[in-house]
Every structure is written in structure tokens, then in C-alpha cells.
Amino acid sequence: GLPLPGLELKINAPDEKGIGEIFVKGDSIMLGYYKNQKLTEEAFDNGWFKTGDIGFFDSDGFLHINGRKKNVIISKSGENVYPEEIEDILNRNSFVLESMVYGEQDEKHTEIIAVQIVTDAEVFIEYSEKNNVKITPELVNDIIGEAVKDANNELPAFKQIRKFYVRDSEFEKTTTQKIKRYLVKSVH
């Protein structure tokens, strides 16, 4: 959207597509971390608060957020991949309750796009009853494989998911219902 009144926004060090870290300045921005000068200095650059979000402005002046700076995956072609973008596409599938995209080393020690997926059990139960089929690990893998394939059809090659894993349990979340990415272990 558009910046709120009283706030200035800028894209710091934008790339050739105008994408970079979002910096914000204004009276409603925090002054710093309580009794922590070091963190305060790291969070600001000449009075601008470094949000940690990556985004760009479109031709109408609207701000678009691609994802978080610390979550960016660098593809082997050197392109930035924003996990949140891929997760948004995957999570539109009714069989997918939630997902977490991340970079994983393959056997050639190249970083590939991987995803862990939590399925929506209720949707699978409805599917099972409607189609008179038993829910098996193979059925779940086939249906989630199709969901990944559908998502990949919407993505350029460098952003495509190369591996997926179906989780048995939901991700641990913050109080604002964001996945605690740092707690999720890679599956190899």
C-alpha cells in the first residue's frame, strides 16, 4: 500500500529491479531498544529504521513486500528467491494448511529450493469420503506432489521447488502466528 501519513519510506540499495531493504523514518518509529545501544545502532542507519523487509515501489507509489531479508535464498544463478512468495502460492491449495520454504544443499552441494508442508487433514478426509478412497501416505504424497507441481507452474525456473516433505505436525509459531523458522530442522 501507500505509506501512512507522517512516515517516509525508502528502498535502500535497490537492485536493477528496484528491490531492496525497506527503510522507514517518522515520529511514530521507535527510538531504539531499551537499554541496548548496540542493537539500536544495528537497527538504524542515519535515522532510518532498517525494517528487515525486502520490497519495492510500483509505478503508482505503492509499496510491495517480497519477504524478509534474513530468509532470502540465493539461487545458483545468483537470483534472490523470497520464500514467502512461494509459500503464498502453495498455501492457496486447499490440501496445504501451511508451508515453509527454505534453501537446502543437494548432493552436488548446490542450494535448492525445498519446502516442508503441513496438510489440511479435514480437506483430506472430505476428499477420502467423496472419492471413497483410503488416506495413505502414498495418496498424501501424490496430492501434495500435484500441489507443488501446480505452484511450480506459476514460478520461473530459478524459484521452483525441487524437494518437498510432508510434516506430521504443525510448525511452532509466535504469538502473531508466524512460523518460528529458526526452530525448523532441515529434513535430509
Side-chain angles (χ1 to χ4, degrees), residues 100 171-175 177-185:
M100 192 189 90
F171 297 100
E172 195 169 330
K173 297 185 190 72
T174 65
T175 54
Q177 296 306 300
K178 291 192 169 54
I179 295 171
K180 292 183 177 180
R181 291 177 180 272
Y182 62 93
L183 292 178
V184 178
K185 304 275 186 266

Side-chain angles (χ1 to χ4, degrees), residues 1-170:
L2 295 169
L4 293 171
L7 290 180
E8 288 179 72
L9 295 175
K10 75 173 184 176
I11 304 299
N12 187 56
D15 66 11
E16 68 282 349
K17 296 175 186 166
I19 299 171
E21 185 175 4
I22 301 166
F23 279 21
V24 63
K25 188 190 270 190
D27 292 339
S28 61
I29 301 300
M30 72 165 186
L31 298 174
Y33 290 96
Y34 182 67
K35 293 186 179 180
N36 193 330
Q37 188 59 34
K38 184 179 183 300
L39 271 182
T40 299
E41 288 170 6
E42 290 172 5
F44 287 87
D45 182 359
N46 289 327
W48 290 91
F49 176 64
K50 303 189 277 187
T51 66
D53 291 321
I54 302 292
F56 65 95
F57 288 106
D58 67 18
S59 57
D60 295 322
F62 284 82
L63 176 68
H64 297 263
I65 300 174
N66 297 69
R68 297 284 297 157
K69 184 177 178 180
K70 64 183 177 185
N71 297 339
V72 173
I73 302 164
I74 309 297
S75 72
K76 69 179 177 185
S77 62
E79 303 250 21
N80 288 347
V81 177
Y82 306 100
E84 296 87 349
E85 235 179 338
I86 301 169
E87 291 162 2
D88 285 345
I89 293 169
L90 259 178
N91 293 348
R92 288 185 218 144
N93 187 294
S94 61
F95 289 98
V96 176
L97 183 63
E98 58 187 0
S99 61
M100 192 189 90
V101 172
Y102 57 97
E104 178 179 293
Q105 298 291 314
D106 68 5
E107 57 282 343
K108 296 176 188 161
H109 301 289
T110 302
E111 193 168 44
I112 60 166
I113 308 295
V115 63
Q116 291 185 31
I117 294 173
V118 177
T119 61
D120 190 324
E122 289 180 22
V123 174
F124 270 97
I125 291 167
E126 286 175 26
Y127 178 86
S128 166
E129 291 170 353
K130 184 178 173 188
N131 295 289
N132 199 25
V133 293
K134 188 176 181 210
I135 301 171
T136 63
E138 294 77 26
L139 176 74
V140 171
N141 260 353
D142 289 348
I143 289 174
I144 295 302
E146 282 300 311
V148 168
K149 193 170 145 191
D150 291 346
N152 281 344
N153 286 336
E154 295 184 42
L155 296 164
F158 73 93
K159 290 183 182 179
Q160 290 186 358
I161 300 161
R162 301 295 174 208
K163 268 192 180 170
F164 73 89
Y165 306 94
V166 176
R167 289 176 57 97
D168 295 330
S169 59
E170 288 187 31

